[in-house]
Amino acid sequence: MAETKGKFDFAIDRGGTFTDVFARLPDGRERVLKLLSRDPQNYKDAPTEGIRRVLEEETGQLFPRDQPVDTALIGWIRMGTTVATNALLEREGERTALLVTKGFKDLLHIGTQARPKLFDLEVAVPDVLYEEVIEVDERVVLCQDDCQLPRKDPKRIVTGSTGDSLEVWQELDLEQVEKDLRGVLSRGISSVAVLLLHSYTWSDHEKAVGSLARRLGFTQVSLSSEVMPMVRAVPRGYTVCADAYLTPKIHQYLKGFTAGFKGGLKDVDVLFMQSDGGLTPMEQFCGSRAILSGPAGGVVGYAITSYSQMEKKPVIGFDMGGTSTDVSRYAGQYEHVFEATTAGVTLQAPQLDINTVAAGGGSRLFFRSGMFVVGPESAGAHPGPACYRKGGPLTVTDANLALGRLLPSFFPKIFGPAENEPLSLEETMTHFRRLTEEINIFLSASQTQVNGANKSQNSMVPNSQSVMSVEDVAMGFIRVANEAMCRPIRALTQAKGHDTSQHVLACFGGAGGQHACAIARALGMKTVFIHKYSGVLSAYGLALADVVEEVQEPCSLKYEQQCFSELDRRMEQLCRRCHDTLSARGFSNGQITTEVFLHLRYEGTDCALMVTADGYPSHANSCQAGDFHSAFTKRYLKEFGFTIPDRPIMVDDIRVRGCGKSGINSTHKSKMGHTQAKPVMMTKCFFEDGYMDTSVYLWEELPCGKTIQGPAIIIDKNSTILVEPSCEACLTEEGDVCLTVGSDSQCVIGTELNTVQLSIFSHRFMSIAEQMGRVLQRTSISTNIKERLDFSCAVFGPDGGLVSNAPHIPVHLGAMQETVQYQIRSLGNKLKEGDVILSNHPCAGGSHLPDLTVITPVFRKGVNRPVFFVASRGHHADIGGITPGSMPPHSTSLQQEGAVFVSFKLVTGGVFQEEAVTEALMAPAQYPGCSGTRNLHDNLSDLQAQVAANQRGSQLVGELIDCYGLDVVQAYMGYIQSNAELAVRDMLREFAQRRWRQTFSLEVESEDFMDDGTPIRLRVQINEEEGSAVFDFTGTGTEVWGNCNAPRAITLSALIYCLRCMVGQDIPLNQGCLKPIKVIIPPGSILQPSQDAAVVGGNVLTSQRVVDVIFKAFEVCSASQGCMNNISFGSERVGYYETVAGGAGAGPNWHGRSGVHSHMTNTRITDPEILEKRYPVILEHFSLRPGSGGAGTYRGGEGVIRKLLFRKKVVLSVLTERRAIRPYGLKGGEDGAAGLNLLHRADGRILNLGAKTSVSLEPGDMFCLYTPGGGGFGSEEDLKSDGPQIKRRRLNEMFTERGSVFEYRMAQEGV
């Protein structure tokens, strides 16, 4: 890659709103430029215009706009672009057809089957990227040594790239594919994506289809085996669809871009930034690798400029833009993820771990039910914040302006309808005065209520704060926004065992400088680094980046001595491929480096880590590329807190990253200053202590080496930096700003209600529960907790009332509170410091026995009772009973379901009671037909992990109390519960008013039935004045012989879930939700059974019917499938459990989603390729079930068809509902179809298995599951008269978030 001396070099980041240009001039000087990405009146293409302006201004020659730019003076061009991201967000890609293995046409529609937003009844899921589907008649399956399927005819055996053997069950029918492709082509579709099962390892069928499509004239043909050859069909399918959908758009953009230059840029080196932080030649740039092209430049920029090889202090990148903020981490190596979701599409491709949160300068400000809320809604570029003079709403930018932190005189006059006016402080202040008045009215009303309560009860209820000023309100929103941005940074660092405070905060992007000091201080960081090009750092990062060539292939080898030679051969082969490609691009050997990664996991787990052996040299017992075993175990220990020494390590993929060193070195140095920095003006800024005199400096006039004391504002062309009081700024030799963050003068908070502190404490309590969850996930050992994330952690008040709970697993929502309160009643003063309680009994607030709850009381010096409680509930895979997995479909008593704990002291005086708990876990063996736990080692390890998680929670609660004082923390705990209570009361009042207008009654009632005919009845009486309600389940059927009995805690969880859905906005989910509600459940009924009743089905089935009954009473939406479809199979050697999607109910203005989980479950389903790789089963068919959704103005969602063919003898268990009683429609909408469980015997017989059974299967038997559809809403007659009105929501409003922190939360809510 030759140096381009004497020429102009350009690095350009084309963002959604602005295009940033960095230019290196022939004499070594550097220039930066910012221009609008779209300005059709003045120019066609922003990057071309940027290059033209620089050439014209620097050479003095004329470069006319209407003529192609002469490239004689251009050395190289590097670009990052949001073209692909925007096409994905706006769904404006190429018309595409998907070719998929027969029987799987809806595979990508169903996806993981989890819904993205837990409490969104509409289940808004982005549309698939393809327009048509062609089912390809072909099938290959993996060979299994112990497969016992009867052979009718010999199958062709082939070997995959992983070394696995496969059987070709169905040869490819190319003739039919050609007919289908011609049809698609005739309808104007010229882009195809091909996804055939197991093509990651054997791709012959895909290649044959691909070459046929090219021959027929398709202009874009993307094969999943070429785009990303990794196991797991669903993410690989999304990735290949994104490639086919976006690549033509990129080519279209490139064609337009190159047309703006003479000779179409043939003699210029043009490189594009990929999602992984590496550059690639323009002709190689494709859709699946382009999604993070824009933000990736910023990560490279801060990584290279702010990480010191000497100090090795890790850096957090903080890029705050208009609609969102990007957070990432760098500690000497780029942190990549290999699967991430953008705009609702999961892509399987190496990409930098950039975490996007919906909080930016344009995030909107709300005051809801007494709480300050920032985002996630954004004002966007149009109309923009209120101060833009286009009728926009209040935003974070307005709050900064109101506090004097933005100075309109330093902004260009580009605002208002004619785009020629300055920022408007008046508009901002008008909006803030209105909002402040609203807040003060609320505070005054709550004060009146408090005074009334004081008089009537003679109680000591604390007063709320006095009247708030406009500045108090604006400052409050800034603090809440900062706390919202701190949470992902904590999660990103602590998730991997790093201390957040030991990082440098590298701040860039237009809005970040105003918040940097406050965020660093909140996280305990001492240093903030802001590069001189921070406003255009994404462009500058492109100039610093290297050209990257990545190759990857799947593998199925163990990491052990006998496989090393094969691994070395394959690694060497991939390294050579990378080296040859980079050599062909003009790099010399000295410029090329290659790094090998192995994707490793312990056998039998899903937690794979992409590991490099950098720093771990090879030896006699390792690969030649390095000691990957030591690298893997050390990182595993760091991230998860333990290793599994006796377990083999599997290699899932081999990856090589080749780099051609080509980044520039910046030589610019600032002059050392001999004079003090002089402010250009003084202004007044509002801080915690009120208005303060604040000096304003221009960045370009600052002498380096001199210190500026806060408060101060430093202004640059593209950004504003706020130096807060007790912080100081210094200009480095390179011209960058380094901020030293002083400690906060702790403002004393009293016990009276402060609405700003209420929002901040809400974040803090949630953060404690989240951090507990991270510890539990890191230190647990079982698949259920570590990988499926089937657990909840929570904080409770001294009365056992729930304060915060994470994640939100619906069936755990209210149930843990019942468990803690039972222990307080039962043990009282017997609880001592150092004690930890274990409980799972339904009478003690348990849901079902495998959910073990571990409770730790938090004590405080000088207080003789617990001041708080922390608890964690985890699903243990086995705790004994009559069947493996402790989820028997036919249990009739609690003893058959496993080990029982009521108030068991798991830790006494700080000592873990291993012997006693082992005895209790083995105790079920004393009952006929039962066994003790079948996995004692995992039970004990996971219980110890739960104790460790509680210990962390206890420590964090202690730190919060140290910071604010016990009385303040407990007061705010009460206020947060009151806030949830208020939101529920408001919702009930609104419903009561509506109901009274329609019917003159404040009573609603409903009834639904279990399949055995047991009724669940509900009558709700609402008190409009109080905003309260009585939920009376009198008339519900008696306890049943079987396991569909639901403990009281289950009904409360279902009730909290329904209330949160009906409130329709984010509220803290705690005991306050149930404060306005009185619940009456008749003892001895199916909803409050006797102590020894079997309950395992109540947790997973009856809970869904309770939700159906509540929503029917309130006429919220039609019934969803009302079942989790629990399917398990196993033998002595293997066990598998899944829950399966169905149809969601339609609502007043939406169609029900098809093939999705609803209400009380959100479990992800196992990918077809993983299922067939690990279990003795072949997935014959998985699609939607046509016609199963109820008809109506709005249609119910369709269920699914799932067919499992068994390769060995197994016992199949099914635990299902809605096989007899259909999911109801509402307002004239028709019912959804009932489900059906069929068994196709190998001898040709077909049997209906009924709803609940266990049956022994022979090889060749096939289980066919037909899940229920959702009910329709409104009659079809209404449809004929005026058609349904469906409001479409924009994807970029709904799916802003991305990155590993977001994926983790989605995985947690997908349990």
Side-chain angles (χ1 to χ4, degrees):
M1 212 65 165
E3 277 292 309
T4 56
K5 286 189 177 134
K7 293 198 173 189
F8 288 83
D9 297 327
F10 294 94
I12 303 169
D13 175 41
R14 184 189 185 279
T17 309
F18 290 105
T19 290
D20 299 336
V21 181
F22 167 84
R24 188 172 62 169
L25 312 182
D27 59 5
R29 285 181 303 124
E30 295 166 354
R31 262 197 72 170
V32 296
L33 181 70
K34 215 176 185 66
L35 63 164
L36 286 168
S37 292
R38 285 200 180 103
D39 190 355
Q41 275 89 20
N42 293 308
Y43 45 81
K44 279 189 200 163
D45 178 66
T48 311
E49 173 66 10
I51 292 170
R52 192 197 66 76
R53 280 188 201 177
V54 171
L55 290 173
E56 190 168 272
E57 289 165 19
E58 292 295 333
T59 63
Q61 298 172 26
L62 199 61
F63 284 80
R65 264 195 191 137
D66 56 354
Q67 290 175 26
V69 176
D70 189 350
T71 59
L73 292 174
I74 300 174
W76 48 249
I77 299 172
R78 296 163 169 221
M79 274 180 64
T81 174
T82 54
V83 167
T85 319
N86 292 343
L88 196 58
L89 282 168
E90 304 295 341
R91 290 297 193 263
E92 288 175 352
E94 191 71 15
R95 291 179 67 197
T96 300
L98 168 68
L99 285 86
V100 68
T101 301
K102 191 174 180 181
F104 295 87
K105 68 181 168 65
D106 301 310
L107 182 65
L108 300 186
H109 173 98
I110 299 166
T112 66
Q113 78 179 8
R115 59 196 188 276
K117 297 196 175 175
L118 208 55
F119 304 106
D120 183 2
L121 295 172
E122 186 180 339
V123 192
V125 177
D127 295 333
V128 289
L129 300 180
Y130 50 84
E131 200 174 304
E132 290 197 31
V133 183
I134 295 172
E135 290 193 88
V136 179
D137 195 6
E138 68 82 46
R139 189 67 157 98
V140 296
V141 299
L142 290 163
C143 293
Q144 289 181 355
D145 294 340
D146 51 358
C147 175
Q148 297 164 0
L149 274 175
R151 288 277 188 277
K152 287 179 188 158
D153 50 348
K155 306 286 183 189
R156 180 159 68 103
I157 305 290
V158 294
T159 304
S161 62
T162 54
D164 291 316
S165 295
L166 300 97
E167 291 182 52
V168 181
W169 273 36
Q170 176 63 49
E171 295 289 352
L172 175 64
D173 183 354
L174 264 182
E175 211 173 293
Q176 185 58 47
V177 173
E178 182 169 346
K179 275 186 208 159
D180 294 336
L181 281 174
R182 286 187 187 281
V184 163
L185 204 52
S186 70
R187 290 187 287 280
I189 295 174
S190 59
S191 181
V192 291
V194 187
L195 170 69
L196 303 181
L197 290 190
H198 300 295
S199 62
Y200 68 93
T201 180
W202 190 73
S203 57
D204 288 25
H205 282 178
E206 270 199 2
K207 283 176 176 160
V209 171
S211 56
L212 170 65
R214 289 187 189 100
R215 200 174 74 241
L216 291 174
F218 284 89
T219 51
Q220 175 64 39
V221 178
S222 298
L223 307 182
S224 77
S225 52
E226 291 174 355
V227 171
M228 199 63 204
M230 284 179 88
V231 68
R232 292 175 68 229
V234 171
R236 195 171 75 251
Y238 285 141
T239 309
V240 74
C241 285
D243 197 74
Y245 185 73
L246 299 174
T247 302
K249 283 290 164 190
I250 288 172
H251 288 166
Q252 196 179 319
Y253 172 71
L254 294 179
K255 194 174 169 188
F257 173 62
T258 53
F261 296 86
K262 279 187 184 166
L265 289 171
K266 275 202 174 59
D267 302 321
V268 179
D269 185 34
V270 185
L271 299 168
F272 272 77
M273 175 58 81
Q274 301 188 107
S275 301
D276 64 358
L279 296 162
T280 193
M282 178 166 64
E283 56 278 5
Q284 308 278 315
F285 191 48
C286 66
S288 56
R289 303 285 178 109
I291 296 299
L292 296 184
S293 175
V299 176
V300 174
Y302 86 75
I304 292 175
T305 57
S306 57
Y307 180 77
S308 158
Q309 289 294 344
M310 301 285 287
E311 293 177 25
K312 295 202 180 312
K313 196 161 188 183
V315 186
I316 292 290
F318 178 72
D319 176 7
M320 185 175 175
T323 53
S324 60
T325 296
D326 288 341
V327 172
S328 54
R329 181 177 182 274
Y330 182 81
Q333 276 191 331
Y334 294 113
E335 298 195 349
H336 288 103
V337 290
F338 295 86
E339 196 174 298
T341 305
T342 301
V345 177
T346 304
L347 296 182
Q348 217 179 25
Q351 45 205 302
L352 291 169
D353 187 12
I354 300 171
N355 289 270
T356 303
V357 285
S363 291
R364 293 180 59 184
L365 313 179
F366 303 96
F367 183 73
R368 287 181 182 146
S369 304
M371 195 174 268
F372 280 57
V373 178
V374 177
E377 299 89 340
S378 167
H382 298 284
C387 59
Y388 280 19
R389 300 177 183 265
K390 289 182 180 173
L394 273 181
T395 67
V396 171
T397 297
D398 291 298
N400 277 312
L401 182 63
L403 298 171
R405 299 169 175 205
L406 292 177
L407 304 172
S409 57
F410 288 90
F411 277 76
K413 294 184 178 179
I414 55 169
F415 304 101
E419 300 188 347
N420 60 355
E421 297 176 76
L423 279 178
S424 171
L425 180 61
E426 306 80 63
E427 282 284 331
T428 292
M429 295 310 276
T430 305
H431 277 72
F432 262 119
R433 283 189 203 103
R434 211 176 296 140
L435 182 61
T436 304
E437 191 181 336
E438 182 191 320
I439 291 169
N440 284 327
I441 289 169
F442 173 87
L443 293 173
S444 165
S446 24
Q447 187 61 52
T448 308
Q449 282 178 358
V450 164
N451 292 341
N454 286 351
K455 280 175 194 162
S456 62
Q457 297 167 21
N458 198 22
S459 62
M460 292 297 292
V461 180
N463 294 331
S464 65
Q465 71 205 77
S466 54
V467 173
M468 293 185 82
S469 68
V470 165
E471 291 82 0
D472 291 333
V473 170
M475 189 71 190
F477 279 114
I478 292 291
R479 293 179 62 193
V480 172
N482 289 344
E483 188 59 39
M485 289 183 282
C486 285
R487 259 170 75 184
I489 297 176
R490 286 193 195 102
L492 185 66
T493 48
Q494 291 164 358
K496 294 179 179 168
H498 307 298
D499 180 350
T500 314
S501 65
Q502 296 306 305
H503 289 67
V504 171
L505 189 69
C507 187
F508 57 107
Q514 296 140 46
H515 298 258
C517 286
I519 282 171
R521 183 183 280 140
L523 294 167
M525 297 177 180
K526 296 289 178 277
T527 309
V528 177
F529 181 86
I530 305 177
H531 192 268
K532 64 174 179 278
Y533 295 141
S534 65
V536 294
L537 197 64
S538 289
Y540 186 57
L542 296 169
L544 301 174
D546 294 323
V547 174
V548 168
E549 172 67 15
E550 285 221 1
V551 286
Q552 181 170 325
E553 59 180 41
C555 182
S556 289
L557 297 171
K558 286 184 179 171
Y559 188 81
E560 59 187 14
Q561 194 81 40
Q562 54 262 49
C563 297
F564 287 162
S565 59
E566 175 61 12
L567 284 169
D568 283 330
R569 183 189 69 75
R570 290 176 65 177
M571 286 188 268
E572 175 57 34
Q573 197 179 3
L574 294 179
C575 285
R576 203 175 314 117
R577 263 173 65 188
C578 276
H579 196 284
D580 292 350
T581 305
L582 291 169
S583 293
R585 289 180 191 160
F587 288 97
S588 66
N589 286 348
Q591 291 175 302
I592 298 173
T593 59
T594 55
E595 189 172 13
V596 179
F597 295 82
L598 294 183
H599 204 196
L600 301 173
R601 61 180 171 83
Y602 283 118
E603 191 175 41
T605 74
D606 279 330
C607 250
L609 298 175
M610 191 66 81
V611 175
T612 168
D614 188 30
Y616 298 89
S618 63
H619 52 77
N621 295 317
S622 79
C623 284
Q624 286 171 17
D627 181 2
F628 285 94
H629 185 279
S630 299
F632 173 71
T633 48
K634 187 164 182 188
R635 187 162 149 212
Y636 204 91
L637 185 67
K638 170 95 177 160
E639 289 199 23
F640 303 124
F642 68 94
T643 57
I644 316 175
D646 307 326
R647 192 82 65 91
I649 295 171
M650 303 301 296
V651 184
D652 276 351
D653 301 276
I654 304 168
R655 169 182 167 233
V656 174
R657 184 177 172 88
C659 282
K661 297 285 174 198
S662 64
I664 64 165
N665 293 315
S666 186
T667 52
H668 172 80
K669 291 271 188 280
S670 291
K671 298 185 185 74
M672 285 302 284
H674 300 294
T675 56
Q676 285 301 323
K678 288 198 178 71
V680 292
M681 64 178 278
M682 297 296 289
T683 187
K684 295 244 181 232
C685 269
F686 192 87
F687 296 97
E688 297 291 351
D689 299 330
Y691 277 106
M692 295 176 77
D693 288 329
T694 304
S695 312
V696 180
Y697 299 88
L698 294 179
W699 192 331
E700 65 220 42
E701 292 179 8
L702 292 179
C704 73
K706 300 294 179 189
T707 299
I708 296 169
Q709 297 296 331
I713 290 174
I714 300 172
I715 288 182
D716 177 33
K717 286 194 290 285
N718 301 315
S719 53
T720 300
I721 300 168
L722 181 71
V723 186
E724 296 204 0
S726 77
C727 299
E728 57 185 44
C730 177
L731 197 73
T732 68
E733 271 189 53
E734 285 76 26
D736 309 317
V737 171
C738 189
L739 299 174
T740 306
V741 181
S743 56
D744 203 356
S745 52
Q746 188 67 51
C747 77
V748 180
I749 298 165
T751 54
E752 72 281 357
L753 172 62
N754 176 307
T755 47
V756 176
Q757 285 297 340
L758 177 66
S759 300
I760 288 169
F761 267 101
S762 178
H763 277 292
R764 286 288 172 85
F765 281 126
M766 272 304 288
S767 187
I768 290 172
E770 285 167 357
Q771 289 181 62
M772 287 171 68
R774 287 293 194 173
V775 171
L776 178 51
Q777 189 228 358
R778 280 180 51 220
T779 54
S780 63
I781 201 166
S782 70
T783 301
N784 257 8
I785 293 179
K786 183 169 218 63
E787 290 158 24
R788 285 191 60 241
L789 308 180
D790 194 348
F791 64 81
S792 278
C793 297
V795 180
F796 304 85
D799 61 348
L802 179 64
V803 181
S804 66
N805 167 221
H808 296 138
I809 293 176
V811 84
H812 291 180
L813 281 176
M816 266 205 280
Q817 170 177 308
E818 293 275 304
T819 307
V820 176
Q821 289 176 333
Y822 179 90
Q823 305 310 324
I824 293 172
R825 290 195 302 273
S826 163
L827 298 173
N829 295 329
K830 295 177 194 162
L831 278 173
K832 299 283 180 282
E833 193 159 5
D835 288 353
V836 179
I837 309 303
L838 170 63
S839 180
N840 69 345
H841 198 292
C843 77
S847 45
H848 62 172
L849 297 187
D851 280 346
L852 298 184
T853 306
V854 173
I855 303 159
T856 303
V858 180
F859 285 88
R860 195 80 184 155
K861 220 175 193 171
V863 185
N864 59 4
R865 294 178 71 85
V867 294
F868 275 90
F869 290 85
V870 289
S872 51
R873 174 171 284 185
H875 184 107
H876 287 241
D878 197 297
I879 52 160
I882 53 175
T883 59
S886 307
M887 295 274 291
H890 48 277
S891 53
T892 53
S893 71
L894 195 65
Q895 288 72 24
Q896 295 174 332
E897 295 178 356
V900 175
F901 302 91
V902 181
S903 299
F904 182 89
K905 285 206 174 176
L906 182 63
V907 178
T908 307
V911 180
F912 187 77
Q913 303 296 303
E914 185 166 337
E915 202 176 306
V917 77
T918 299
E919 192 181 314
L921 284 165
M922 300 311 293
Q926 65 190 292
Y927 299 105
C930 292
S931 157
T933 179
R934 299 161 184 89
N935 202 344
L936 179 64
H937 175 258
D938 280 14
N939 293 135
L940 294 176
S941 297
D942 285 352
L943 286 170
Q944 285 164 340
Q946 286 178 261
V947 171
N950 287 8
Q951 185 57 37
R952 177 67 177 147
S954 178
Q955 178 194 338
L956 290 167
V957 169
E959 286 172 14
L960 202 59
I961 294 169
D962 290 342
C963 188
Y964 294 102
L966 177 62
D967 52 346
V968 172
V969 175
Q970 287 190 335
Y972 275 92
M973 173 206 77
Y975 297 144
I976 286 166
Q977 291 171 332
S978 302
N979 178 255
E981 177 189 339
L982 187 64
V984 172
R985 287 191 191 277
D986 287 347
M987 181 274 291
L988 288 171
R989 282 192 193 101
E990 276 176 38
F991 178 79
Q993 287 160 9
R994 237 180 14 252
R995 179 78 183 167
W996 183 258
R997 280 198 305 271
Q998 290 165 359
T999 65
F1000 301 108
S1001 162
L1002 293 181
E1003 231 177 66
V1004 292
E1005 56 185 24
S1006 66
E1007 177 180 56
D1008 205 344
F1009 297 87
M1010 303 294 286
D1011 277 349
D1012 65 0
T1014 301
I1016 294 180
R1017 292 203 180 101
L1018 172 64
R1019 186 158 158 254
V1020 184
Q1021 292 169 297
I1022 300 163
N1023 181 320
E1024 184 187 339
E1025 196 181 330
E1026 290 179 6
S1028 63
V1030 177
F1031 281 68
D1032 186 352
F1033 288 92
T1034 302
T1036 292
T1038 59
E1039 178 183 320
V1040 295
W1041 175 257
N1043 58 26
C1044 280
N1045 302 295
R1048 177 184 169 85
I1050 294 289
T1051 302
L1052 296 184
S1053 295
L1055 184 50
I1056 286 188
Y1057 167 80
C1058 292
L1059 292 170
R1060 167 62 185 83
C1061 289
M1062 291 192 285
V1063 166
Q1065 65 192 38
D1066 271 339
I1067 59 168
L1069 291 168
N1070 56 44
Q1071 82 159 0
C1073 294
L1074 291 179
K1075 195 89 183 285
I1077 309 291
K1078 182 183 177 188
V1079 182
I1080 299 170
I1081 303 174
S1085 70
I1086 191 174
L1087 300 184
Q1088 195 165 329
S1090 61
Q1091 285 209 10
D1092 293 328
V1095 295
V1096 73
N1099 185 57
V1100 293
L1101 299 176
T1102 313
S1103 60
Q1104 296 280 42
R1105 197 65 68 261
V1106 173
V1107 172
D1108 288 341
V1109 168
I1110 295 170
F1111 282 154
K1112 190 176 187 181
F1114 283 85
E1115 296 185 336
V1116 173
C1117 61
S1118 300
S1120 293
Q1121 67 160 335
C1123 174
M1124 297 186 193
N1125 301 299
N1126 302 270
I1127 310 300
S1128 58
F1129 61 81
S1131 60
E1132 306 75 39
R1133 289 180 53 202
V1134 69
Y1136 175 77
Y1137 169 73
E1138 68 181 18
T1139 61
V1140 185
N1149 55 4
W1150 71 83
H1151 296 300
R1153 171 78 183 173
S1154 301
V1156 73
H1157 260 320
S1158 45
H1159 304 325
M1160 299 301 280
T1161 186
N1162 202 27
T1163 322
R1164 297 178 175 201
I1165 198 150
T1166 306
D1167 189 89
E1169 290 176 346
I1170 295 289
L1171 180 70
E1172 295 190 356
K1173 193 175 169 74
R1174 296 197 189 162
Y1175 300 98
V1177 70
I1178 290 163
L1179 185 59
E1180 286 264 306
H1181 188 103
F1182 188 33
S1183 72
L1184 297 181
R1185 182 185 174 196
S1188 55
T1193 311
Y1194 299 97
R1195 296 182 313 277
E1198 291 176 346
V1200 304
I1201 303 170
R1202 189 166 171 88
K1203 299 181 179 180
L1204 297 168
L1205 176 69
F1206 291 92
R1207 307 176 76 164
K1208 282 173 64 179
K1209 288 185 178 183
V1210 293
V1211 173
L1212 171 77
S1213 297
V1214 294
L1215 184 57
T1216 60
E1217 268 287 321
R1218 291 285 194 205
R1219 275 16 186 203
I1221 308 291
R1222 295 167 63 177
Y1224 61 78
L1226 272 184
K1227 304 275 187 182
E1230 290 186 14
D1231 295 347
L1236 182 63
N1237 304 331
L1238 294 182
L1239 177 61
H1240 290 242
R1241 286 286 192 192
D1243 62 10
R1245 280 184 307 150
I1246 300 175
L1247 310 171
N1248 184 339
L1249 292 178
K1252 299 166 189 68
T1253 192
S1254 251
V1255 58
S1256 295
L1257 301 187
E1258 294 295 318
D1261 287 347
M1262 184 161 68
F1263 172 60
C1264 300
L1265 173 69
Y1266 299 82
T1267 68
F1273 194 100
S1275 72
E1276 283 196 279
E1277 294 307 311
D1278 299 341
L1279 181 61
K1280 287 167 193 161
S1281 57
D1282 55 356
Q1285 300 297 307
I1286 295 181
K1287 183 181 155 212
R1288 291 189 64 79
R1289 294 188 278 181
R1290 285 165 57 92
L1291 285 178
N1292 50 350
E1293 289 169 7
M1294 294 153 47
F1295 299 96
T1296 314
E1297 293 183 82
R1298 66 170 320 283
S1300 60
V1301 174
F1302 168 71
E1303 298 294 336
Y1304 176 80
R1305 196 176 77 244
M1306 287 297 97
Q1308 281 184 310
E1309 291 185 354
V1311 173

